[in-house]
Amino acid sequence: MGVRGMKAIRIHGRGGPDDLFYDDVPQPRPGPGEVLVRVAAAAIIVNELKWDVSYQTEKGQPRDLPIPGRDLSGIVAEVNADASQAAIGDAVYAMLGYGRDGAEAEYALVMPNELARKPRTLDHVQAAAVPLSALTAWQGLFIHAKLSKGQRVLIHGASGGVGTYAVQFAHWAGAQVLATVSTDNADFVRELGADQVIDYATTHFEEVARDVDVVFDLVGGETLTRSWRVLRGGGVLVSVVNPTAAPPPARPELRFKYFIVEPNGEQLRKIGELIDAGQVRPIVDQVFPLSEARRAYKAGRDGHPRGKIVLSIG
């Protein structure tokens, strides 16, 4: 049998969207414990083009012409005998692990522990907007910050891909949600469940936010530095941006946690249940065909999308 081909986006270089090309490549075949998914949609992550791990194997060896994309929704096309958790024809969604080719292709390899059944209330484009962003919000709030009912949480970057899920999860958990946003996104974030919206263009958030239990930082820089002032004793600042931050010397009781989101099929299953119950919804800003990935990445880089930008693949 000859090698089947497929269309995929590959990175030719490391300069940004202009290095993305729509190529003909061999279709992958599942090895031990792997699942082959026919991809229907994949969400983009603009910063993925800057990650070292996008150009390396899991062991740190360089990879040529890598295929980007950590988020997918699609249909199981082939299952290795060792991967009993999935069946051919299942509609699934997943966040793919790092250090291997991604989802911006007609077919992608997925590990069984990375995937879950696609939420039945979502189409594939909507489902592709969920995995990495929702898992980042879930792990940041519930695994690292241990957010609980009645606590106060301040979310920076609340209208973005991760922030929209963080607001909804925190509201669902019974927390009091404060959010920093631009003027244009204030009403939108209130509708997602924010109790107090702070326009960062007109107001210094530390002047109105007080006694916060958790700060979830999706912005970094000066915003992170100023966030220590709003935390109450024993509070925690969780960031996905700056790995080297530390509490000020005068506030040693405060905690800091930086993390990198990890694939987790079981957490995706729980998130899917919340989505199907109407507690959480994905936000899709724009949809592009796979062949226009370069334009999609430029839209993500140059604009301020609400939620996610998704590639529709077929």
Side-chain angles (χ1 to χ4, degrees):
M1 181 185 298
V3 176
R4 294 179 179 178
M6 68 173 185
K7 288 291 188 179
I9 299 301
R10 295 196 295 184
I11 312 172
H12 293 242
R14 195 169 172 173
D18 286 333
D19 286 328
L20 297 174
F21 287 83
Y22 185 57
D23 288 345
D24 293 297
V25 303
Q27 179 182 311
R29 296 295 305 276
E34 293 179 329
V35 176
L36 182 69
V37 172
R38 177 167 55 83
V39 183
I44 72 164
I45 305 147
V46 173
N47 285 338
E48 186 179 0
L49 302 184
K50 301 177 182 178
W51 298 345
D52 289 340
V53 72
S54 299
Y55 306 91
Q56 300 170 352
T57 67
E58 294 181 53
K59 296 182 179 180
Q61 300 299 316
R63 291 193 298 131
D64 292 329
L65 303 177
I67 298 172
R70 299 301 104 196
D71 286 324
L72 67 75
S73 182
I75 304 295
V76 174
E78 190 174 343
V79 180
N80 189 281
D82 297 331
S84 59
Q85 295 96 320
I88 293 173
D90 285 351
V92 297
Y93 71 152
M95 175 195 161
L96 306 187
Y98 310 104
R100 67 181 203 268
D101 278 337
E104 293 175 21
E106 292 178 325
Y107 290 86
L109 294 175
V110 185
M111 302 304 293
N113 62 356
E114 296 171 344
L115 59 78
R117 290 292 185 97
K118 179 183 73 67
R120 57 180 172 75
T121 55
L122 301 184
D123 61 29
H124 285 295
V125 166
Q126 294 168 320
V130 176
L132 183 142
S133 291
L135 285 171
T136 302
W138 185 274
Q139 292 170 18
L141 293 176
F142 303 130
I143 305 302
H144 299 296
K146 310 292 186 186
L147 183 70
S148 60
K149 183 177 180 179
Q151 290 190 316
R152 287 165 56 83
V153 56
L154 173 61
I155 300 166
H156 293 307
S159 65
V162 176
T164 52
Y165 290 106
V167 170
Q168 293 180 85
F169 288 154
H171 175 74
W172 165 76
Q176 184 178 1
V177 184
L178 295 77
T180 60
V181 296
S182 65
T183 306
D184 293 342
N185 288 317
D187 290 341
F188 165 65
V189 171
R190 283 193 191 93
E191 292 171 3
L192 294 178
D195 297 290
Q196 183 176 358
V197 173
I198 304 167
D199 183 347
Y200 61 73
T202 62
T203 305
H204 293 290
F205 65 84
E206 65 269 33
E207 294 177 358
V208 294
R210 295 285 188 276
D211 295 323
V212 172
D213 297 283
V214 176
V215 173
F216 192 22
D217 169 50
L218 305 170
V219 176
E222 182 188 357
T223 297
L224 185 155
T225 302
R226 289 158 49 206
S227 293
W228 296 113
R229 307 176 199 173
V230 308
L231 282 167
R232 69 193 315 165
V236 58
L237 195 163
V238 177
S239 179
V240 298
V241 183
N242 188 341
T244 60
R251 302 287 308 278
E253 82 283 6
L254 301 180
R255 295 179 292 125
F256 175 73
K257 177 65 180 182
Y258 167 81
F259 77 102
I260 297 173
V261 62
E262 294 290 342
N264 191 305
E266 179 58 25
Q267 291 172 4
L268 274 184
R269 184 189 65 77
K270 294 177 183 177
I271 291 166
E273 291 175 354
L274 290 179
I275 290 170
D276 284 340
Q279 299 291 326
V280 175
R281 62 186 174 99
I283 307 298
V284 177
D285 186 89
Q286 296 181 73
V287 182
F288 294 83
L290 181 65
S291 59
E292 295 187 22
R294 186 181 295 181
R295 193 160 68 91
Y297 274 81
K298 288 180 178 179
R301 180 195 65 187
D302 299 335
H304 295 279
R306 288 182 176 180
K308 298 291 289 186
I309 294 176
V310 178
L311 300 175
S312 179
I313 297 174

